[in-house]
Amino acid sequence: MGLRHAISAICLASSVLLAPLVATAETLADALADAYENSGLLDQNRALLRAADEDVAQSLAALRPVISWAASAQYTGSPSSGADSLTNSYQISADLLIYDGGASNFATEAQKELVLATRQTLMSVEQQVLLRTVQAYVNVRSAVEFLSLRQNNVRVITQEFRAAQDRFDVGEVTRTDVALAEARLAAARSLLSAAEGSLVQASEEFNAVVGRRPDNLQPAAPAPLSYDLAAARAFAVRNHPDLLGQQHRVSAAELNIRRAEAATGPSVNLNGRVAVSDGEATESVGVTVSGPIYAGGRLASQIRQQMARRDAERAGLHITRAAVEQQVGNAYALLAVARASRDAFDRQIRAARVAFQGVREEATLGARTTLDVLNAEQELLDAQASMISAQSDEVVATYSVLAAMGLLNAQHLGLAVQTYDPSAYYKLVDEAPAALSEQGRALDRVLRALGE
């Protein structure tokens, strides 16, 4: 019963979709804007980017003074003498890294490269969300049109079935003709039920992606494209977020090699202590110079490990470039097929409609059988269904081209949304502000707002 209610609700929505468009009709841009604002996947990756921003702040903190305190109390009792004593001590210590061969600086720069890579990952996820929205939108539109087509098909075959019965009653056709029409009608009703189910599924996907149910969707036009295949490939190689992110990961891997090499050298630390014990204060300031002599081969192994990781990231860069170029080629191939199919099906529909009308007229004169009419009607229906699929494929293919080029984002599409600034949070934390500072309190307010 629940599925029937859902189908009824969707069918009611489809009747609105098929009605003349009004001012409140929803466009693809509206759906894309809502998906951008409601996507949990985007929220998740924005949070991961903020976590990566904090890695830079934590790495930078290693170059700053570390000040800590300690307090202790020790009670000493002697049962034999009856003398008890309580010793209190307090200490404040400060340590500052003066020199470590650049290892800390390399670590900070590597984290910055990883932040830039994570930003590109966020851009890639944005493309995935928007492309999925386009697919969900056109799938709902196609499902509505398929449903209308199946409903009309049932009406037409019902008329043919009744006509066959009437002609059988007067002896113009045999029972075989009636049975053929009845079988086609049963098949048409089955396909109608399948179309109703497909519309429910398309609506559920739309709700999952956009964050609400579809409402009075307008037909979606293909995205405008201003690049040919060669220019699109060249643009994608320079601008696709997957490639740019991989380039930053290669840079981070190279910096980690230099960081591992610097770890084999000496380090210099400045340290100071102020201690108070039983009212007596002591102060000390010193410089500590240290460095490894022998670490069992661990340091050399770490260098080789970072080199291997660098080589893996470089190989990944070549793989990603090939994949991006392939995606562009595939997207343009699918677009060409969809456009050619649309033109071919348009011609087929015109010819099949003329043929169907002619066969039906000839059948009324006894020159054609009921099977001829049903076959002609089926050819017209198939052509119309193929046209719906081709039009949907063309729309999706144009947006797939934009995604393959790295242009399927809110800014390029001009969506009516407040675009997320991936650098805003970084600017708040790149200097590693303390929790009690003015900037630290501002960060607390930002995080509370994000949580809400």
Side-chain angles (χ1 to χ4, degrees):
M1 184 62 69
L3 178 60
R4 290 188 176 274
H5 284 314
I7 291 175
S8 299
I10 297 301
C11 290
L12 179 61
S14 71
S15 65
V16 177
L17 285 166
L18 296 171
L21 294 176
V22 295
T24 57
E26 180 180 354
T27 65
L28 176 57
D30 296 330
L32 289 169
D34 286 343
Y36 181 86
E37 293 179 339
N38 299 331
S39 173
L41 187 59
L42 281 175
D43 288 340
Q44 179 189 45
N45 281 270
R46 288 165 183 165
L48 291 174
L49 176 58
R50 294 195 297 273
D53 293 342
E54 295 291 356
D55 286 336
V56 176
Q58 293 170 23
S59 180
L60 183 64
L63 299 173
R64 294 181 174 176
V66 177
I67 303 174
S68 57
W69 64 271
S72 65
Q74 183 175 356
Y75 170 78
T76 303
S78 176
S80 60
S81 63
D84 298 334
S85 64
L86 179 63
T87 303
N88 299 314
S89 64
Y90 310 92
Q91 176 178 292
I92 295 179
S93 61
D95 293 277
L96 175 64
L97 175 65
I98 298 177
Y99 174 79
D100 64 353
S104 297
N105 285 322
F106 291 138
T108 301
E109 294 303 315
Q111 292 298 337
K112 289 180 180 179
E113 291 293 337
L114 291 178
V115 165
L116 296 176
T118 308
R119 289 183 187 177
Q120 296 301 322
T121 299
L122 176 60
M123 293 297 296
S124 184
V125 170
E126 180 179 335
Q127 292 205 139
Q128 296 170 21
V129 169
L130 295 181
L131 183 58
R132 185 182 173 190
T133 303
V134 173
Q135 293 169 333
Y137 188 99
V138 299
N139 284 345
V140 171
R141 282 290 315 176
S142 297
V144 168
E145 293 178 7
F146 276 125
L147 179 60
S148 176
L149 200 61
R150 296 301 179 188
Q151 290 170 337
N152 184 64
N153 184 41
V154 169
R155 286 193 296 268
V156 171
I157 296 181
T158 299
Q159 294 172 358
E160 296 298 334
F161 173 64
R162 291 172 180 171
Q165 284 183 319
D166 293 340
R167 293 171 68 188
F168 172 74
D169 291 340
V170 297
E172 292 183 2
V173 297
T174 66
R175 186 172 296 279
T176 302
D177 295 280
V178 177
L180 286 171
E182 186 177 8
R184 286 292 180 90
L185 179 58
R189 287 172 175 166
S190 174
L191 292 174
L192 175 59
S193 297
E196 291 171 341
S198 296
L199 182 54
V200 172
Q201 293 176 348
S203 178
E204 292 295 337
E205 170 67 5
F206 185 96
N207 182 56
V209 178
V210 180
R212 56 173 175 76
R213 298 286 176 179
D215 181 24
N216 197 12
L217 306 186
Q218 288 187 7
L225 301 175
S226 56
Y227 293 84
D228 59 19
L229 176 57
R233 272 206 178 102
F235 184 92
V237 167
R238 296 191 305 270
N239 298 279
H240 197 282
D242 289 352
L243 262 174
L244 296 179
Q246 189 61 31
Q247 289 171 356
H248 289 301
R249 281 186 281 273
V250 170
S251 298
E254 292 173 343
L255 288 166
N256 282 329
I257 293 175
R258 301 179 67 181
R259 177 188 179 187
E261 291 173 341
T264 63
S267 62
V268 180
N269 287 271
L270 177 65
N271 50 72
R273 302 285 184 274
V274 176
V276 177
S277 179
D278 288 338
E280 282 190 34
T282 59
E283 300 175 356
S284 65
V285 177
V287 175
T288 302
V289 180
S290 62
I293 297 176
Y294 176 71
R298 176 177 57 85
L299 298 178
S301 176
Q302 289 176 342
I303 295 173
R304 295 192 300 270
Q305 183 183 57
Q306 295 301 333
M307 288 181 174
R309 288 175 175 167
R310 185 268 319 272
D311 294 341
E313 296 294 353
R314 285 179 176 175
L317 180 60
H318 292 298
I319 294 171
T320 304
R321 176 175 179 139
V324 166
E325 291 179 340
Q326 181 183 10
Q327 289 171 8
V328 175
N330 289 343
Y332 269 91
L334 292 174
L335 177 58
V337 170
R339 286 174 172 172
S341 298
R342 180 202 59 196
D343 295 339
F345 291 133
D346 182 59
R347 292 189 295 270
Q348 182 182 357
I349 288 173
R350 291 197 299 267
R353 182 176 288 113
V354 172
F356 172 60
Q357 293 170 351
V359 169
R360 188 163 56 179
E361 289 295 327
E362 293 174 2
T364 60
L365 300 175
R368 293 282 186 171
T369 66
T370 301
L371 181 60
D372 293 331
V373 176
L374 294 174
N375 287 339
E377 196 273 338
Q378 186 64 46
E379 288 184 6
L380 176 59
L381 177 67
D382 292 342
Q384 291 171 331
S386 297
M387 172 61 92
I388 293 173
S389 296
Q391 290 173 333
S392 298
D393 291 344
E394 182 183 9
V395 173
V396 174
T398 56
Y399 282 93
S400 295
V401 168
L402 293 180
M405 295 172 61
L407 288 175
L408 189 58
N409 53 64
Q411 183 177 5
H412 180 78
L413 297 177
L415 301 182
V417 295
Q418 183 177 355
T419 56
Y420 184 82
D421 183 1
S423 64
Y425 187 83
Y426 178 84
K427 292 175 182 177
L428 293 174
V429 301
D430 64 341
E431 295 298 328
L436 298 179
S437 67
E438 181 179 351
Q439 194 169 358
R441 289 191 294 271
L443 270 171
D444 287 340
R445 292 192 294 270
V446 170
L447 290 173
R448 282 195 296 272
L450 289 172
E452 295 172 357

